[in-house]
Amino acid sequence: MTSRLVPVQKNDIIEVKFEDLTHDGSGVAKIDGYTLFVPFGLPGERANVKVLKTKKNYGYGKLLDVITESEFRVTPECLIYDRCGGCQLQHMSDEGQLLYKHKQVKDALVRIGHLNDVTVHPVIGMDNPWRYRNKAQVPVGEENGSLITGFYQKGSHRIVPMEECLIQEEANDTVVRVVRDLASQLGIRAYDEKNHHGVIRHIIAKYGRKTDEVMVVIITRMKDFPHKKQLIEQIVEHIPNVKSIVHNVNPKRTNVIFGDETNVIWGEPYIYDYIGDIKFAISARSFYQVNPIQTKVLYDKALEYAQLTGNETVIDAYCGIGTISLFLARQAKKVYGVEVVGQAIADAKRNARLNGIENAEFFVGEAEKVIPWWYQQGIQADVIVVDPPRKGCDEALLNTIIDMKPKRVVYVSCNPATLARDLRILEDGGFETKEVQPVDMFPQTGHVELVALMSRVNE
Ligand code: SAH
């Protein structure tokens, strides 16, 4: 077999036309069939790019200047957008982002799932696609003798200072700045990962949008550190709506943020928030959706697709802290949730009690093991909801769904490619994809979430 020659070399400066956009927001250009990925390039644009790296089948380039601009190109709102990497699509208008996310879903369904005729509704965006994140998680460093908070420069461990993040709740930005400055004034040092010295590694702020409650999580290298007591007192004094201060100890040389030891050092172990009228307890370690406004939109759609009348048995696979399960339980006879992380299931049970929901039961385990076992025990489901991680559903689970023959499958996904693969398997097993609704949970970033409805084909 002859391998195609790579038509460009490192450091070449070439003119290209972008044909597509990757899921992480890079422009895709083709040079004699060879693919070049270029961050900040938009489909339809002609541009000069510098080749940075070439591999056998694809390479990477840097955008130098745009010759013909896309109608969707806008000036990014954020001053550090190109260095941070947290957002990938701020250079694209909101309209452009929604159209492109729609295309991404449609393309994956056709290319991977061979689902050419499925209706993909327009992506539901946010009225105000900024300031939506309810959790900030920032590393702490030092500059000129003071503490700084920011983000890691791409591909390095250097912390670039950042005072605000435009997709973050303002409350969280404020909390991070205040805690950092108080610690700095007390002379508390930042953790230095090179020498494994110093104290504060990360500051995390969580915010309950509906309740206006704040949780502060401080992660340090050691359990006891100078001025700990004063720091707590001053946080309480300066942040009036703080309800919980949690200390996590991470003594390891690692990039992992959390250590094993977590202690509530002031106030409550939880803050609360609502999605719709369901109340959720949020602890330092528990997972909670980062965009509660769009989560409500997504789960309302999942509920609509489930078409519950009150008589159904529902399985919620990959249930996390029970967010979808509790949403469905109000309108179902019985909901079974399954999730692999034990702490999440403990939170799910707590959340069920908190809302007086008695018809939801939660189990720890792998969905692909637990659900086949339920099936063997004779448990039948009318509706199965899945919300797997990016890699999609395990095939053993899909085969059990095919055997169980529920009336409907509601598939919530954060990855159109694995969704399309799994829908194909279910289609071949006797289900039909009815419609797909993408929801923009993470405006300004390349991520897209969606919910798909499948019905069992009558035999
Ligand atoms: N439905 C939840 C969480 C979805 S995220 C919500 O809306 O909040 C996906 C979840 O799947 C995570 O909580 C992850 O811990 C869990 N998970 C990953 N692999 C799993 C498996 N094999 N079986 C069950 N749960 C799994």
Side-chain angles (χ1 to χ4, degrees):
M1 210 174 83
T2 52
S3 69
R4 180 198 286 275
L5 281 177
V6 176
V8 288
Q9 282 185 348
K10 186 174 166 170
N11 293 330
D12 282 356
I13 291 177
I14 50 171
E15 187 183 319
V16 298
K17 179 158 190 232
F18 296 115
E19 293 174 10
D20 206 349
L21 208 54
T22 63
H23 69 87
D24 52 6
S26 286
V28 181
K30 296 272 185 197
I31 305 129
D32 299 336
Y34 180 82
T35 305
L36 201 64
F37 297 113
V38 183
F40 310 117
L42 290 177
E45 290 186 333
R46 289 198 153 278
N48 288 314
V49 305
K50 182 173 178 181
V51 178
L52 296 180
K53 192 173 179 177
T54 57
K55 297 191 173 196
K56 201 164 136 236
N57 296 312
Y58 59 91
Y60 296 96
K62 182 180 170 187
L63 188 68
L64 297 179
D65 58 283
V66 179
I67 301 163
T68 49
E69 280 197 359
S70 159
E71 59 181 311
F72 298 129
R73 183 167 285 279
V74 293
T75 307
E77 295 280 331
C78 172
L79 296 176
I80 48 176
Y81 168 58
D82 53 341
R83 286 187 292 156
C84 166
C87 296
Q88 301 83 38
L89 292 178
Q90 277 197 28
H91 58 289
M92 198 175 200
S93 65
D94 298 334
E95 184 198 357
Q97 291 183 29
L98 297 181
L99 287 174
Y100 142 72
K101 288 181 184 189
H102 182 267
K103 177 175 179 298
Q104 199 199 345
V105 173
K106 185 82 195 162
D107 286 353
L109 291 177
V110 171
R111 191 165 43 84
I112 301 166
H114 311 296
L115 295 159
N116 302 337
D117 305 321
V118 170
T119 303
V120 179
H121 296 289
V123 182
I124 304 176
M126 297 186 78
D127 291 341
N128 174 18
W130 299 97
R131 296 283 185 198
Y132 57 83
R133 279 188 69 98
N134 58 10
K135 182 178 90 172
Q137 192 160 273
V138 296
V140 181
E142 280 181 23
E143 216 172 68
N144 306 324
S146 295
L147 295 185
I148 55 163
T149 42
F151 57 90
Y152 289 114
Q153 189 168 17
K154 265 183 231 166
S156 96
H157 280 237
R158 206 176 79 78
I159 296 169
V160 180
M162 174 176 70
E163 290 300 292
E164 66 168 353
C165 166
L166 301 182
I167 60 167
Q168 190 61 250
E169 285 276 4
E170 266 174 301
N172 286 337
D173 278 344
T174 308
V175 167
V176 170
R177 282 196 307 263
V178 168
V179 173
R180 173 200 65 197
D181 291 346
L182 292 172
S184 201
Q185 283 152 24
L186 288 167
I188 301 173
R189 303 290 305 263
Y191 174 65
D192 167 4
E193 66 174 33
K194 227 193 245 147
N195 305 312
H196 198 52
H197 272 170
V199 181
I200 301 197
R201 302 175 70 127
H202 273 83
I203 298 170
I204 297 174
K206 294 191 178 192
Y207 182 65
R209 194 184 171 89
K210 285 268 171 68
T211 56
D212 193 38
E213 294 178 346
V214 164
M215 171 182 279
V216 176
V217 185
I218 301 165
I219 302 175
T220 67
R221 182 172 62 86
M222 67 290 239
K223 186 164 179 172
D224 291 309
F225 57 89
H227 309 296
K228 185 172 169 183
K229 196 163 158 279
Q230 289 97 311
L231 180 63
I232 298 168
E233 284 168 7
Q234 294 198 12
I235 291 173
V236 174
E237 193 185 317
H238 285 86
I239 305 174
N241 50 348
V242 66
K243 287 284 175 307
S244 168
I245 306 178
V246 176
H247 180 202
N248 176 273
V249 187
N250 185 357
K252 297 200 183 118
R253 276 176 181 268
T254 169
N255 291 336
V256 178
I257 295 177
F258 278 96
D260 296 333
E261 188 181 343
T262 306
N263 299 303
V264 178
I265 52 175
W266 184 87
E268 309 293 324
Y270 297 97
I271 57 167
Y272 295 94
D273 194 25
Y274 288 83
I275 295 177
D277 57 359
I278 310 249
K279 189 175 185 181
F280 290 93
I282 303 159
S283 70
R285 300 298 309 265
S286 66
F287 171 82
Y288 183 61
Q289 292 283 352
V290 296
N291 182 341
I293 297 175
Q294 291 300 82
T295 298
K296 163 90 167 55
V297 172
L298 186 74
Y299 293 174
D300 275 342
K301 210 23 127 177
L303 184 62
E304 179 193 318
Y305 282 174
Q307 296 166 49
L308 302 176
T309 62
N311 297 320
E312 293 81 5
T313 300
V314 181
I315 290 177
D316 179 14
Y318 309 92
C319 71
I321 59 165
T323 338
I324 301 179
S325 313
L326 299 180
F327 235 68
L328 300 176
R330 292 262 171 88
Q331 296 185 36
K333 187 167 88 194
K334 177 94 199 181
V335 178
Y336 295 95
V338 56
E339 155 67 46
V340 76
V341 175
Q343 183 57 47
I345 288 295
D347 288 341
K349 289 178 176 168
R350 169 184 306 275
N351 288 330
R353 277 198 305 277
L354 193 63
N355 291 281
I357 292 173
E358 289 174 352
N359 60 337
E361 271 189 74
F362 295 99
F363 301 87
V364 183
E366 288 166 308
E368 61 271 23
K369 299 216 172 99
V370 173
I371 296 171
W373 187 77
W374 285 346
Y375 179 54
Q376 279 171 17
Q377 305 302 303
I379 292 181
Q380 267 299 345
D382 302 294
V383 178
I384 298 183
V385 179
V386 299
D387 182 8
R390 287 193 68 77
K391 69 175 196 279
C393 293
D394 192 285
E395 207 163 339
L397 172 62
L398 296 173
N399 288 332
T400 302
I401 294 175
I402 290 167
D403 293 342
M404 262 188 163
K405 299 188 169 55
K407 291 194 202 83
R408 286 177 289 286
V409 174
V410 178
Y411 196 133
V412 181
S413 165
C414 56
N415 184 344
T418 54
L419 170 92
R421 178 198 69 197
D422 292 351
L423 293 187
R424 179 75 264 151
I425 294 172
L426 292 171
E427 288 253 344
D428 293 342
F431 290 87
E432 188 188 2
T433 310
K434 294 290 187 190
E435 52 186 295
V436 174
Q437 176 63 66
V439 175
D440 196 11
M441 295 272 269
F442 310 102
Q444 320 307 334
T445 80
H447 298 288
V448 57
E449 287 265 339
L450 50 95
V451 51
L453 168 62
M454 298 191 94
S455 290
R456 181 134 186 96
V457 177
N458 290 328
E459 283 152 357

